[in-house]
Amino acid sequence: MAHWKYFNEGDIIDVVAPGYPSKPHEVEGAHDFLLKWKLQPRIPKGLIKPHFLHAHEDEARFAFLKAAIESKDSRVIWCLRGGYGSNRLIPMLAKLKKPKEPKLLIGISDITSLHSFFIQEWGWSTLHAPLLDRLGRNLVSPKFEKELHEILFGQETEVEFKNLKPLNEAARKVKNLKSKIVGGNLTVLQSSMGTPWQIETKKSLLFVEDIGERGYRIDRMFEQFRQAGLFKQCHGLILGDFVGGEEPSTQKNNFKLVFKRWAEDLDIPLFQGMQAGHAVIQRPVPFNTPCMLNVEKGKGHLVIKTGGRK
Protein backbone atom coordinates (compact mmCIF):
# COMPACT_ATOMS: atom_id res chain seq x y z
CA MET A 1 0.00 0.00 0.00
CA ALA A 2 1.34 3.41 -1.01
CA HIS A 3 0.61 6.25 1.42
CA TRP A 4 -0.47 9.69 0.21
CA LYS A 5 0.89 12.89 1.77
CA TYR A 6 -1.16 15.10 4.07
CA PHE A 7 -2.20 18.47 2.67
CA ASN A 8 -0.44 21.70 3.59
CA GLU A 9 -1.81 25.17 3.00
CA GLY A 10 -0.58 26.41 -0.37
CA ASP A 11 -0.57 22.95 -1.97
CA ILE A 12 -1.56 22.73 -5.64
CA ILE A 13 -4.67 20.65 -6.28
CA ASP A 14 -5.05 19.23 -9.79
CA VAL A 15 -8.72 19.34 -10.77
CA VAL A 16 -9.95 16.86 -13.40
CA ALA A 17 -13.26 16.09 -15.10
CA PRO A 18 -13.10 12.45 -16.28
CA GLY A 19 -16.88 11.99 -16.50
CA TYR A 20 -19.77 14.42 -16.98
CA PRO A 21 -19.31 18.18 -17.42
CA SER A 22 -19.85 20.73 -14.66
CA LYS A 23 -21.46 24.09 -15.40
CA PRO A 24 -19.23 27.21 -15.34
CA HIS A 25 -20.64 28.42 -11.99
CA GLU A 26 -19.94 24.95 -10.49
CA VAL A 27 -16.33 25.08 -11.68
CA GLU A 28 -16.07 28.57 -10.15
CA GLY A 29 -17.56 27.26 -6.90
CA ALA A 30 -15.01 24.42 -6.78
CA HIS A 31 -12.22 26.96 -7.40
CA ASP A 32 -13.48 29.21 -4.56
CA PHE A 33 -13.87 26.25 -2.20
CA LEU A 34 -10.21 25.25 -2.60
CA LEU A 35 -9.13 28.86 -2.08
CA LYS A 36 -11.19 28.93 1.14
CA TRP A 37 -9.10 25.98 2.35
CA LYS A 38 -5.98 27.99 1.39
CA LEU A 39 -5.12 25.57 -1.41
CA GLN A 40 -4.11 26.40 -4.98
CA PRO A 41 -6.66 25.08 -7.49
CA ARG A 42 -5.21 24.13 -10.86
CA ILE A 43 -8.14 23.97 -13.26
CA PRO A 44 -6.74 23.77 -16.81
CA LYS A 45 -8.14 25.98 -19.57
CA GLY A 46 -10.43 23.99 -21.83
CA LEU A 47 -11.06 21.29 -19.20
CA ILE A 48 -14.73 21.26 -20.16
CA LYS A 49 -15.98 21.52 -23.74
CA PRO A 50 -19.47 20.82 -25.13
CA HIS A 51 -19.90 17.09 -25.83
CA PHE A 52 -22.98 14.90 -26.19
CA LEU A 53 -22.02 12.72 -23.19
CA HIS A 54 -18.87 13.79 -21.37
CA ALA A 55 -16.91 16.82 -20.17
CA HIS A 56 -14.77 16.55 -23.34
CA GLU A 57 -13.58 13.98 -25.89
CA ASP A 58 -11.95 10.85 -24.42
CA GLU A 59 -8.47 11.88 -25.60
CA ALA A 60 -8.76 15.32 -24.02
CA ARG A 61 -10.15 14.02 -20.70
CA PHE A 62 -7.31 11.50 -20.61
CA ALA A 63 -4.71 14.17 -21.44
CA PHE A 64 -5.87 16.29 -18.49
CA LEU A 65 -5.85 13.25 -16.19
CA LYS A 66 -2.38 12.20 -17.40
CA ALA A 67 -1.05 15.71 -16.79
CA ALA A 68 -2.43 15.59 -13.23
CA ILE A 69 -0.87 12.15 -12.62
CA GLU A 70 2.51 13.22 -13.99
CA SER A 71 2.71 16.77 -12.55
CA LYS A 72 5.78 17.07 -10.32
CA ASP A 73 4.45 19.94 -8.18
CA SER A 74 1.17 18.41 -7.00
CA ARG A 75 0.19 15.32 -5.01
CA VAL A 76 -3.60 15.41 -5.33
CA ILE A 77 -6.11 14.64 -8.10
CA TRP A 78 -9.59 15.86 -7.14
CA CYS A 79 -12.51 15.17 -9.47
CA LEU A 80 -15.10 17.82 -10.26
CA ARG A 81 -18.05 15.47 -10.67
CA GLY A 82 -19.06 11.92 -11.53
CA GLY A 83 -21.63 10.99 -14.15
CA TYR A 84 -20.19 8.66 -16.78
CA GLY A 85 -16.92 8.45 -18.64
CA SER A 86 -14.02 7.37 -16.42
CA ASN A 87 -14.08 3.74 -17.53
CA ARG A 88 -13.45 4.84 -21.15
CA LEU A 89 -10.07 6.21 -20.00
CA ILE A 90 -8.84 2.99 -18.33
CA PRO A 91 -7.32 1.35 -21.46
CA MET A 92 -5.29 4.55 -22.03
CA LEU A 93 -4.29 4.69 -18.35
CA ALA A 94 -3.09 1.08 -18.59
CA LYS A 95 -0.41 2.18 -21.08
CA LEU A 96 1.14 4.62 -18.59
CA LYS A 97 4.15 3.70 -16.50
CA LYS A 98 3.41 3.49 -12.77
CA PRO A 99 4.43 6.82 -11.18
CA LYS A 100 7.27 6.71 -8.64
CA GLU A 101 5.30 8.77 -6.11
CA PRO A 102 1.69 7.98 -5.22
CA LYS A 103 -0.94 10.70 -5.43
CA LEU A 104 -4.29 10.98 -3.70
CA LEU A 105 -7.38 10.51 -5.88
CA ILE A 106 -10.61 11.97 -4.45
CA GLY A 107 -14.11 11.38 -5.82
CA ILE A 108 -17.17 9.12 -5.81
CA SER A 109 -19.67 7.58 -8.23
CA ASP A 110 -18.23 7.26 -11.77
CA ILE A 111 -14.76 7.84 -10.25
CA THR A 112 -15.03 4.25 -8.89
CA SER A 113 -13.35 3.11 -12.14
CA LEU A 114 -10.27 5.19 -11.34
CA HIS A 115 -10.20 4.11 -7.68
CA SER A 116 -10.12 0.44 -8.71
CA PHE A 117 -7.43 1.01 -11.34
CA PHE A 118 -5.09 2.99 -9.07
CA ILE A 119 -5.52 0.47 -6.24
CA GLN A 120 -5.14 -2.70 -8.31
CA GLU A 121 -2.55 -1.60 -10.87
CA TRP A 122 -0.44 0.86 -8.89
CA GLY A 123 -1.10 -0.13 -5.25
CA TRP A 124 -2.27 3.35 -4.26
CA SER A 125 -4.65 4.12 -1.42
CA THR A 126 -7.44 6.51 -2.48
CA LEU A 127 -10.31 8.41 -0.87
CA HIS A 128 -13.98 7.85 -1.68
CA ALA A 129 -15.13 11.36 -0.70
CA PRO A 130 -17.26 14.26 -2.01
CA LEU A 131 -16.68 15.66 -5.46
CA LEU A 132 -15.51 19.25 -5.83
CA ASP A 133 -18.64 20.59 -7.49
CA ARG A 134 -20.67 19.41 -4.49
CA LEU A 135 -18.32 21.08 -2.01
CA GLY A 136 -18.32 24.20 -4.18
CA ARG A 137 -22.12 24.39 -4.03
CA ASN A 138 -22.07 24.20 -0.21
CA LEU A 139 -23.94 20.88 -0.23
CA VAL A 140 -21.71 19.39 2.48
CA SER A 141 -22.60 20.39 6.04
CA PRO A 142 -19.96 22.23 8.13
CA LYS A 143 -19.60 19.16 10.40
CA PHE A 144 -18.67 16.82 7.55
CA GLU A 145 -16.62 19.43 5.69
CA LYS A 146 -14.59 19.76 8.90
CA GLU A 147 -14.15 15.96 9.08
CA LEU A 148 -12.85 15.88 5.51
CA HIS A 149 -10.49 18.80 6.19
CA GLU A 150 -9.07 17.08 9.29
CA ILE A 151 -8.48 13.84 7.37
CA LEU A 152 -6.77 15.55 4.44
CA PHE A 153 -4.60 17.84 6.58
CA GLY A 154 -3.58 15.00 8.89
CA GLN A 155 -5.37 16.03 12.10
CA GLU A 156 -7.29 12.75 11.97
CA THR A 157 -5.59 9.47 11.09
CA GLU A 158 -8.70 7.27 11.22
CA VAL A 159 -12.30 7.35 10.06
CA GLU A 160 -14.81 5.71 12.37
CA PHE A 161 -18.20 4.30 11.41
CA LYS A 162 -20.36 3.34 14.38
CA ASN A 163 -23.80 1.72 14.42
CA LEU A 164 -23.44 -0.43 11.32
CA LYS A 165 -26.33 -2.88 11.26
CA PRO A 166 -25.39 -6.58 10.99
CA LEU A 167 -27.93 -8.16 8.61
CA ASN A 168 -27.00 -11.83 9.02
CA GLU A 169 -25.55 -14.30 11.52
CA ALA A 170 -22.09 -14.14 9.94
CA ALA A 171 -22.07 -10.37 10.56
CA ARG A 172 -23.28 -10.69 14.15
CA LYS A 173 -20.34 -13.01 14.93
CA VAL A 174 -17.61 -10.64 13.63
CA LYS A 175 -14.77 -10.02 16.08
CA ASN A 176 -11.50 -8.19 15.32
CA LEU A 177 -11.75 -8.56 11.54
CA LYS A 178 -8.66 -6.96 10.01
CA SER A 179 -9.14 -6.04 6.38
CA LYS A 180 -9.16 -3.16 3.87
CA ILE A 181 -12.01 -1.49 1.98
CA VAL A 182 -12.49 -1.62 -1.79
CA GLY A 183 -15.50 -0.92 -4.00
CA GLY A 184 -17.63 2.15 -4.63
CA ASN A 185 -20.58 2.58 -6.96
CA LEU A 186 -22.28 -0.74 -7.66
CA THR A 187 -23.22 -0.04 -11.29
CA VAL A 188 -19.71 1.20 -12.12
CA LEU A 189 -18.20 -1.88 -10.46
CA GLN A 190 -20.49 -4.06 -12.57
CA SER A 191 -19.17 -2.34 -15.71
CA SER A 192 -15.68 -3.65 -14.83
CA MET A 193 -16.81 -7.28 -14.89
CA GLY A 194 -15.06 -9.38 -17.53
CA THR A 195 -12.44 -6.69 -18.20
CA PRO A 196 -8.75 -6.90 -17.20
CA TRP A 197 -9.61 -4.32 -14.52
CA GLN A 198 -12.47 -6.21 -12.87
CA ILE A 199 -12.81 -5.32 -9.17
CA GLU A 200 -10.63 -7.52 -6.96
CA THR A 201 -12.25 -8.37 -3.63
CA LYS A 202 -9.75 -10.86 -2.17
CA LYS A 203 -9.14 -10.36 1.55
CA SER A 204 -11.13 -7.12 1.45
CA LEU A 205 -14.42 -5.72 2.67
CA LEU A 206 -16.50 -4.79 -0.36
CA PHE A 207 -18.34 -1.47 0.04
CA VAL A 208 -21.14 -0.64 -2.41
CA GLU A 209 -23.63 2.19 -2.90
CA ASP A 210 -25.86 3.44 -5.71
CA ILE A 211 -28.42 5.96 -6.89
CA GLY A 212 -31.54 5.55 -9.02
CA GLU A 213 -31.33 1.76 -9.34
CA ARG A 214 -34.49 -0.25 -8.67
CA GLY A 215 -34.40 -3.32 -6.42
CA TYR A 216 -34.39 -5.88 -9.22
CA ARG A 217 -31.35 -4.22 -10.79
CA ILE A 218 -29.44 -4.25 -7.49
CA ASP A 219 -30.38 -7.91 -7.05
CA ARG A 220 -29.22 -8.71 -10.58
CA MET A 221 -25.85 -7.03 -10.02
CA PHE A 222 -25.35 -8.91 -6.75
CA GLU A 223 -26.23 -12.16 -8.52
CA GLN A 224 -23.62 -11.44 -11.20
CA PHE A 225 -21.05 -10.76 -8.46
CA ARG A 226 -21.94 -14.05 -6.79
CA GLN A 227 -21.68 -16.04 -10.02
CA ALA A 228 -18.34 -14.36 -10.77
CA GLY A 229 -17.02 -15.45 -7.36
CA LEU A 230 -16.56 -11.96 -5.93
CA PHE A 231 -18.41 -12.71 -2.70
CA LYS A 232 -16.50 -15.94 -2.07
CA GLN A 233 -13.19 -14.09 -2.04
CA CYS A 234 -14.11 -11.14 0.19
CA HIS A 235 -14.23 -10.73 3.97
CA GLY A 236 -17.69 -9.21 3.89
CA LEU A 237 -20.09 -6.81 2.19
CA ILE A 238 -20.92 -3.33 3.52
CA LEU A 239 -23.88 -1.40 2.13
CA GLY A 240 -23.57 2.36 1.84
CA ASP A 241 -26.50 4.56 0.89
CA PHE A 242 -28.92 3.42 -1.79
CA VAL A 243 -31.15 6.30 -2.87
CA GLY A 244 -33.90 6.64 -5.47
CA GLY A 245 -34.98 3.49 -7.29
CA GLU A 246 -38.68 3.70 -6.39
CA GLU A 247 -40.99 1.12 -7.97
CA PRO A 248 -43.41 2.67 -10.51
CA SER A 249 -46.38 0.80 -9.01
CA THR A 250 -45.85 1.82 -5.36
CA GLN A 251 -43.56 4.89 -5.50
CA LYS A 252 -41.50 3.14 -2.81
CA ASN A 253 -38.30 1.15 -3.14
CA ASN A 254 -38.05 -2.54 -2.21
CA PHE A 255 -34.43 -2.45 -1.03
CA LYS A 256 -35.26 -3.86 2.39
CA LEU A 257 -36.57 -7.08 0.80
CA VAL A 258 -33.60 -7.29 -1.59
CA PHE A 259 -31.04 -6.87 1.21
CA LYS A 260 -32.93 -9.30 3.47
CA ARG A 261 -32.77 -11.91 0.71
CA TRP A 262 -29.02 -11.45 0.31
CA ALA A 263 -28.46 -11.50 4.06
CA GLU A 264 -30.02 -14.98 4.08
CA ASP A 265 -28.24 -16.13 0.90
CA LEU A 266 -24.69 -15.06 1.77
CA ASP A 267 -22.38 -16.85 4.18
CA ILE A 268 -20.12 -13.78 4.43
CA PRO A 269 -20.94 -10.92 6.84
CA LEU A 270 -23.37 -8.34 5.46
CA PHE A 271 -23.64 -4.91 7.11
CA GLN A 272 -25.79 -1.89 6.37
CA GLY A 273 -25.68 1.76 7.38
CA MET A 274 -22.42 3.25 6.15
CA GLN A 275 -23.11 6.96 5.58
CA ALA A 276 -21.37 7.12 2.21
CA GLY A 277 -22.64 7.34 -1.34
CA HIS A 278 -25.11 9.70 -3.01
CA ALA A 279 -27.23 10.70 0.00
CA VAL A 280 -27.03 14.07 1.78
CA ILE A 281 -24.27 12.86 4.12
CA GLN A 282 -21.26 11.62 2.16
CA ARG A 283 -18.62 10.64 4.69
CA PRO A 284 -15.10 9.86 3.45
CA VAL A 285 -14.17 6.19 3.03
CA PRO A 286 -10.44 5.46 2.67
CA PHE A 287 -9.82 2.66 0.16
CA ASN A 288 -6.98 0.13 0.32
CA THR A 289 -5.85 1.05 3.85
CA PRO A 290 -5.90 -1.13 7.01
CA CYS A 291 -9.22 -1.30 8.84
CA MET A 292 -10.72 -3.15 11.81
CA LEU A 293 -14.33 -4.31 12.12
CA ASN A 294 -15.97 -5.40 15.37
CA VAL A 295 -19.50 -6.08 16.54
CA GLU A 296 -20.26 -4.78 20.02
CA LYS A 297 -23.73 -4.87 21.60
CA GLY A 298 -25.28 -5.83 18.27
CA LYS A 299 -23.75 -2.93 16.31
CA GLY A 300 -20.91 -2.96 13.82
CA HIS A 301 -17.97 -0.68 14.57
CA LEU A 302 -15.54 0.02 11.71
CA VAL A 303 -12.29 1.95 12.06
CA ILE A 304 -10.35 2.73 8.87
CA LYS A 305 -6.85 4.22 8.64
CA THR A 306 -6.85 7.27 6.36
CA GLY A 307 -3.71 6.17 4.53
CA GLY A 308 -2.05 9.58 4.87
CA ARG A 309 1.47 10.40 6.01
CA LYS A 310 3.54 13.50 6.75
Side-chain angles (χ1 to χ4, degrees), residues 134-152:
R134 183 176 175 80
L135 288 155
R137 287 182 288 153
N138 294 313
L139 296 177
V140 176
S141 72
K143 176 185 174 182
F144 293 109
E145 186 184 315
K146 181 173 180 278
E147 179 187 41
L148 182 59
H149 187 280
E150 287 175 349
I151 287 164
L152 292 174

Side-chain angles (χ1 to χ4, degrees), residues 50 58 80 86 88 95 119 124 134 170 173 177 182 184 207 209 216 232 241 262 276 296 305 310:
D58 289 350
L80 263 175
S86 293
R88 294 183 61 91
K95 292 174 183 170
I119 290 166
W124 289 7
R134 183 176 175 80
K173 288 178 178 173
L177 173 56
V182 298
F207 154 75
E209 59 80 31
Y216 81 93
K232 262 186 191 162
D241 288 312
W262 281 95
E296 299 155 5
K305 297 284 184 191
K310 283 186 179 177

Side-chain angles (χ1 to χ4, degrees), residues 120-121 192-200:
Q120 292 172 197
E121 300 298 318
S192 77
M193 301 298 285
T195 73
W197 307 285
Q198 177 172 312
I199 180 73
E200 288 177 9

Side-chain angles (χ1 to χ4, degrees), residues 6-144:
Y6 293 135
F7 288 21
N8 291 303
E9 288 183 0
D11 281 357
I12 295 169
I13 306 298
D14 276 313
V15 178
V16 296
Y20 274 10
S22 296
K23 296 184 174 76
H25 73 273
E26 293 167 343
V27 178
E28 195 61 38
H31 177 271
D32 293 347
F33 167 78
L34 291 172
L35 288 181
K36 183 182 82 171
W37 273 16
K38 297 187 170 67
L39 297 165
Q40 288 188 59
R42 182 155 58 196
I43 305 175
K45 270 190 176 174
L47 181 66
I48 293 169
K49 184 183 170 190
H51 185 278
F52 76 103
L53 277 184
H54 311 299
H56 211 306
E57 298 291 347
D58 289 350
E59 292 73 19
R61 296 198 323 284
F62 173 68
F64 288 123
L65 179 59
K66 179 175 182 279
I69 290 167
E70 294 179 348
S71 64
K72 297 278 191 283
D73 57 354
S74 113
R75 302 190 301 262
V76 182
I77 304 165
W78 205 330
C79 301
L80 263 175
R81 68 168 294 186
Y84 163 64
S86 293
N87 70 332
R88 294 183 61 91
L89 309 183
I90 300 297
M92 291 181 265
L93 266 179
K95 292 174 183 170
L96 291 186
K97 194 176 174 184
K98 177 184 171 179
K100 285 179 183 172
E101 282 290 311
K103 295 200 173 191
L104 177 63
L105 172 76
I106 307 173
I108 69 162
S109 195
D110 175 69
I111 310 308
T112 296
S113 296
L114 301 181
H115 284 295
S116 294
F117 180 88
F118 291 150
I119 290 166
Q120 292 172 197
E121 300 298 318
W122 293 349
W124 289 7
S125 51
T126 65
L127 192 63
H128 184 277
L131 296 151
L132 270 178
D133 78 335
R134 183 176 175 80
L135 288 155
R137 287 182 288 153
N138 294 313
L139 296 177
V140 176
S141 72
K143 176 185 174 182
F144 293 109

Side-chain angles (χ1 to χ4, degrees), residues 222-241:
F222 280 178
E223 184 57 32
Q224 185 178 0
F225 282 19
R226 172 161 65 181
Q227 291 183 20
L230 294 193
F231 293 147
K232 262 186 191 162
Q233 301 167 350
C234 73
H235 285 154
L237 180 62
I238 301 181
L239 304 173
D241 288 312

